[in-house]
Amino acid sequence: MKAILSMIPQLIRASFENDMRTVEACALTIVRRLKKEEPAIAEEIAKAISYHGVGASVTRSIGIDPPPTDRDTFMSLARIDEPVLVEPRIVLNEENEELVHRFIRERTLSEKLLAAGVKPPTSLLLYGPPGVGKTYLTSLLSYKLNLPLITLDLASSISSYLGKTGQNLKKVIEYAQNIPSILFLDEFDAIAKRRDDPSDLGELKRIVNVLLKELENWPSQSIVVAATNHADMLDKAIWRRFDRAMEIGLPDFVGRTTLWSYYLGSYLNTMDDNFLKVLAKVTEGRSAADISQLSERIIRQIIVDDIEPIEAVIYQLKYVSEDNKFNSLFAKTAKELLGKKVTQKTIAKWLGISPSTLSHHLNTNKEE
Ligand SMILES: Nc1ncnc2c1ncn2[C@@H]1O[C@H](COP(=O)(O)OP(=O)(O)OP(=O)(O)O)[C@@H](O)[C@H]1O
Ligand SMILES: [Mg+2]
């Protein structure tokens, strides 16, 4: 009881400051503490959280019920996001772009398809390394199709609701199927990964079975998107159940050039297009998220330190690379792609090295 009383000042401060997150966090703690001794009060507070808590305004504004909560902890089992305007700047290869385009088109023509007796696609599996846009694409779909996004992170829900995962998953699935929405199952491999854990094989088998059954009959008003970094860990049976599967890989040279131009183009507009190609070349192996994050740091530095864009670009690229290798790779690439447009002296200045070190780099590269 003392613990609850001690939270009151914080709760009051947070309410006056409209700090809804703190109010909700305090309320949840109180619910948990009161659950045994004062179940009725705990339940009343829990109800208040689900109707007024963080995220509830979203459900209210779209006019849907709040997501289901865990029976014991009263925590929300999923997060809901309104179809917000994300800048549709996703860079995909041609094949994937076509796939996404088709998916959206078929969904838009759902009614027509249904009238002809065929279902629009209702499930999509996205796989690929971290930072390639799996989550981003899902919110883009939510925006383009104007469907609220219900996110369930399987990795965290499995660990925190061990023993009840199947039951909770079922609740979320039911919820998502009953309102036009996109259910996003992030870290989808969490299920497959845990299958070799003998201690809860029974429970996981049940979960997988629940999913398989539901995937097969997903109602056409809703969509389920699953994302994973470890496609190889997925059950073959699950794999087959998805209407579409899409591999998003690391961006290729063209992709990286477009990404740099999207994220940094307006800052480099005085420069030759070939400079973007230099950037693309020296960032081989980096993900789209890496490029977006690097660009943010670069822009921040340009503004805060009031320096030339190119200086910031080189500073940040060096920061994430091995110094010596970067210098020689950049020097060689710049010379190759910028040709006569820049002198070796300029390149040396950009890199902050002496012209003789630069020619050393250029020559070593030649011998390799
Ligand atoms: N293909 C892309 N085109 C443009 N920007 C991208 C792309 N992929 C990622 N980004 C940028 O990187 C951010 C992070 O990407 P995102 O979270 O979608 O990656 P992810 O594939 O879901 O990674 P993870 O496997 O770690 O969840 C995005 O919000 C976006 O700003
Ligand atoms: Mg993601």
Side-chain angles (χ1 to χ4, degrees):
M1 206 42 95
K2 184 99 193 288
I4 295 178
L5 286 176
S6 71
M7 293 181 75
I8 291 179
Q10 192 189 6
L11 191 56
I12 291 178
R13 269 197 306 273
S15 323
F16 280 130
E17 278 161 23
N18 266 329
D19 173 2
M20 296 314 284
R21 272 183 201 281
T22 306
V23 172
E24 184 175 285
C26 288
L28 270 174
T29 312
I30 294 174
V31 167
R32 265 178 245 138
R33 296 244 156 100
L34 283 183
K35 222 174 62 154
K36 259 213 181 109
E37 288 162 45
E38 297 285 348
I41 301 181
E43 176 128 29
E44 200 183 328
I45 301 177
K47 265 199 192 133
I49 298 173
S50 77
Y51 283 96
H52 304 283
V54 175
S57 65
V58 173
T59 53
R60 262 203 311 274
S61 77
I62 340 177
I64 56 177
D65 287 338
T69 49
D70 180 77
R71 210 185 51 206
D72 299 315
T73 61
F74 297 105
M75 295 275 273
S76 203
L77 292 173
R79 210 188 68 218
I80 301 213
D81 293 297
E82 258 183 287
V84 283
L85 176 75
V86 285
E87 270 187 276
R89 279 187 159 183
I90 193 150
V91 177
L92 298 169
N93 64 25
E94 233 170 273
E95 195 184 325
N96 284 343
E97 209 153 279
E98 171 64 22
L99 208 150
V100 171
H101 183 74
R102 264 202 99 75
F103 191 87
I104 292 176
R105 197 152 161 72
E106 288 175 12
R107 288 299 311 186
T108 320
L109 294 175
S110 281
E111 267 179 43
K112 249 190 175 165
L113 291 175
L114 288 167
V118 283
K119 273 183 80 177
T122 53
S123 54
L124 174 66
L125 176 63
L126 302 175
Y127 61 102
V132 292
K134 300 181 292 298
T135 304
Y136 194 42
L137 174 62
T138 310
S139 53
L140 183 86
L141 287 175
S142 150
Y143 168 66
K144 292 253 181 190
L145 298 169
N146 194 25
L147 293 170
L149 187 60
I150 303 168
T151 303
L152 178 70
D153 183 341
L154 284 166
S156 62
S157 47
I158 285 190
S159 52
S160 51
Y161 310 125
L162 204 80
K164 292 184 300 180
T165 315
Q167 194 188 337
N168 283 342
L169 184 68
K170 230 174 165 163
K171 276 202 219 171
V172 175
I173 287 178
E174 222 164 73
Y175 173 73
Q177 289 181 335
N178 281 317
I179 44 176
S181 61
I182 295 183
L183 174 63
F184 182 44
L185 303 174
D186 208 359
E187 306 242 19
F188 193 58
D189 49 278
I191 288 179
K193 242 196 242 164
R194 305 271 311 209
R195 283 195 116 193
D196 33 25
D197 183 345
S199 62
D200 48 39
L201 247 186
E203 165 78 351
L204 281 161
K205 266 209 182 110
R206 264 196 303 282
I207 298 172
V208 173
N209 287 338
V210 167
L211 260 173
L212 289 182
K213 206 169 132 266
E214 295 305 327
L215 273 171
E216 208 129 79
N217 290 310
W218 207 262
S220 44
Q221 64 166 350
S222 292
I223 299 170
V224 54
V225 178
T228 177
N229 296 331
H230 309 278
D232 48 315
M233 286 182 153
L234 290 189
D235 215 78
K236 282 222 171 64
I238 291 199
W239 196 264
R240 265 190 288 118
R241 296 306 203 281
F242 283 89
D243 288 332
R244 304 283 144 79
M246 174 169 156
E247 178 173 18
I248 315 184
L250 291 172
D252 60 9
F253 176 73
V254 177
R256 292 193 305 276
T257 312
T258 315
L259 282 161
W260 279 115
S261 145
Y262 269 159
Y263 285 115
L264 219 53
S266 57
Y267 287 86
L268 298 174
N269 56 7
T270 50
M271 227 145 335
D272 196 86
D273 264 2
N274 277 350
F275 189 73
L276 293 171
K277 290 189 183 155
V278 175
L279 293 186
K281 201 134 186 198
V282 300
T283 46
E284 189 175 350
R286 306 252 179 218
S287 69
D290 290 337
I291 293 179
S292 131
Q293 201 183 40
L294 269 166
S295 302
E296 256 178 46
R297 290 193 197 146
I298 290 166
I299 294 170
R300 217 177 288 136
Q301 199 182 3
I302 295 173
I303 293 170
V304 173
D305 295 349
D306 194 21
I307 58 173
E308 285 300 313
I310 194 149
E311 276 182 64
V313 166
I314 294 199
Y315 182 94
Q316 295 298 342
L317 283 175
K318 266 192 189 178
Y319 189 77
V320 295
S321 326
E322 273 176 65
D323 238 22
N324 244 334
K325 268 197 192 148
F326 175 78
N327 281 348
S328 84
L329 176 65
F330 187 92
K332 191 181 165 240
T333 314
K335 187 156 181 266
E336 182 193 326
L337 292 174
L338 300 176
K340 293 205 178 75
K341 286 188 182 120
V342 288
T343 59
Q344 290 201 16
K345 212 173 142 197
T346 313
I347 298 177
K349 197 179 141 245
W350 283 348
L351 287 170
I353 56 179
S354 69
S356 68
T357 313
L358 179 82
S359 48
H360 171 74
H361 280 314
L362 292 172
N363 291 330
T364 356
N365 274 346
K366 249 182 225 152
E367 280 157 24
E368 274 168 7

